[in-house]
Amino acid sequence: MHRSTASPTHPSGRTLGLSLALVSAFAFGGSGTAAKPLIEAGLSPLHVVWLRVTGAAVALLPIAYRHRGAVLRRPGLLLGFGLLAVAGVQACYFAAISRIPVGVALLIEYLGPPLLIGYVRFVQRKPISRGAAVGAGVAVAGLACVVEVWNGLSFDALGVLFALGAAFCQVGYFLLADAGRRGDRPVDPLAVSAYGLLIGAVLLTVFTRPWQADWGLLGGSVVMNGHSLPALVPAAWMVLIATVLAYLTGVVSVGYLSPPVAGVVANLEAVVATVLAWVLLGEHLGLPQVAGGLLVLAGAFAAQTSKPPAVEAGAGTGAGASAAGGSAPSGATASRATTAARERVATADRGVSGRSSRTSRGD
């Protein structure tokens, strides 16, 4: 069973985690660009979602079989991930865009990282780095510009509730990914992704009724920005890159970054989706969207460059003791004090560590 040995607070661990989170955000961001030609060819959005999730689940069956013991070890975790992080996000997002504009739904869904920070800070009562909090706020402001929320402002209470549901499900994505590696019975993050997608595919099958779709369309051609290409090309990209690769790297990255930091970096997904739609679909990219993209980048940078609060606290304690002029313990006493201090910092570290053309992991 794979388990991360690098500490989330270690520079090499944070670098690897950031790299994986960026790959995940870029992969998730391409889902809408790949899905749009299929939708324009005649597949319904819900059937495209079913194809995406089910195709990914089938591709990950070997991993699921290899880690079949995880079903008995943490069944609740796997069921929760499939219900919230896969099926829940999808269902809530599509229910939301059926009642409110896409941009508004996306913005509300991407309130997930700030909600996650609030949950960790006030419910779990764990420290949050200042950079993660500031980064989340800056990123949300940037997202408002990216999706040009002012062009579609309208209020529909039920639509807003569905969008908030997607946001809370996104919180579940990060929390459950982090919980999988904790406790006496940790689960490999690859198994969490594989079984989450498998459970999500089963649940979505009940609601989407895929047998009613004209899957013969996949044997023909689709049009992307005026160019014809086989329908299987965007379908394969959507399944293998925008889902399989995206989920695997995203879940693993949470093990190297704290869930709040990983959540803020995931906001880059909406920026990637907008840029890809501009390049591959010929959709216009205005100045507000460029400015918003830069804000999202700034927020992600602020979040991932901040020191974990436990490290800062540990440094502050040491400095305070020195300033107080207390005498340093020696011999065995010094060794025990040093060991106790390290254990306190390690314990605190463990408490902190741990997606149309505009799209999200929820469509």
Side-chain angles (χ1 to χ4, degrees):
M1 178 174 58
H2 171 275
R3 291 188 67 183
S4 299
T5 56
S7 169
T9 60
H10 192 278
S12 62
R14 287 177 64 84
T15 300
L16 177 57
L18 176 61
S19 300
L20 291 171
L22 289 173
V23 171
S24 179
F26 275 77
F28 271 127
S31 61
T33 303
K36 188 170 182 177
L38 299 174
I39 295 172
E40 292 178 340
L43 287 177
S44 73
L46 284 178
H47 287 144
V48 170
V49 168
W50 179 88
L51 172 65
R52 173 188 178 184
V53 174
T54 304
V58 171
L60 292 177
L61 279 177
I63 293 179
Y65 179 77
R66 179 182 177 184
H67 296 281
R68 55 194 180 276
V71 177
L72 297 177
R73 196 158 55 246
R74 302 286 292 276
L77 172 75
L78 301 181
L79 180 61
F81 193 85
L83 179 62
L84 295 177
V86 181
V89 172
Q90 313 283 351
C92 288
Y93 177 78
F94 274 100
I97 64 175
S98 69
R99 306 184 68 94
I100 61 178
V102 171
V104 177
L106 270 177
L107 181 62
I108 296 174
E109 179 188 350
Y110 276 96
L111 292 176
L115 289 173
L116 176 59
I117 288 176
Y119 180 86
V120 172
R121 179 65 184 89
F122 298 108
V123 178
Q124 294 185 333
R125 297 186 180 278
K126 297 177 182 178
I128 295 295
S129 67
R130 184 179 302 173
V134 173
V138 173
V140 170
L143 284 169
C145 297
V146 170
V147 303
E148 296 183 326
V149 64
W150 53 84
N151 288 333
L153 286 175
S154 62
F155 181 80
D156 181 283
L158 191 55
V160 170
L161 285 176
F162 280 130
L164 282 173
F168 281 107
C169 287
Q170 192 184 67
V171 172
Y173 169 87
F174 292 103
L175 290 176
L176 291 170
D178 182 57
R181 64 189 185 86
R182 300 182 180 277
D184 297 331
R185 297 174 295 174
V187 177
D188 192 294
L190 301 184
V192 174
S193 297
Y195 279 102
L197 286 165
L198 185 60
I199 293 170
V202 173
L203 294 173
L204 286 171
T205 298
V206 177
F207 297 101
T208 61
R209 301 177 181 179
W211 52 86
Q212 296 179 351
D214 181 12
W215 297 111
L217 293 171
L218 295 178
S221 299
V222 295
V223 177
M224 178 179 286
N225 197 18
H227 301 284
S228 179
L229 71 161
L232 286 176
V233 172
W237 179 277
M238 181 179 63
V239 170
L240 299 177
I241 304 299
T243 310
V244 172
L245 178 64
Y247 268 98
L248 291 180
T249 53
V251 172
V252 173
S253 72
V254 179
Y256 293 95
L257 303 172
S258 67
V261 173
V264 175
V265 176
N267 281 336
L268 290 172
E269 188 181 309
V271 179
V272 173
T274 304
V275 172
L276 287 178
W278 177 36
V279 175
L280 298 179
L281 301 179
E283 296 189 356
H284 177 67
L285 191 63
L287 181 61
Q289 292 174 301
V290 175
L294 293 175
L295 281 175
V296 175
L297 288 171
F301 179 80
Q304 65 87 24
T305 55
S306 62
K307 290 183 179 180
V311 174
E312 294 172 346
T317 302
S322 176
S327 60
S330 60
T333 303
S335 176
R336 287 193 297 270
T338 302
T339 301
R342 288 175 178 171
E343 289 177 351
R344 286 196 299 270
V345 173
T347 301
D349 285 346
R350 288 193 295 270
V352 176
S353 305
R355 78 189 237 64
S356 122
S357 59
R358 300 171 187 171
T359 188
S360 70
R361 72 190 70 230
D363 69 2

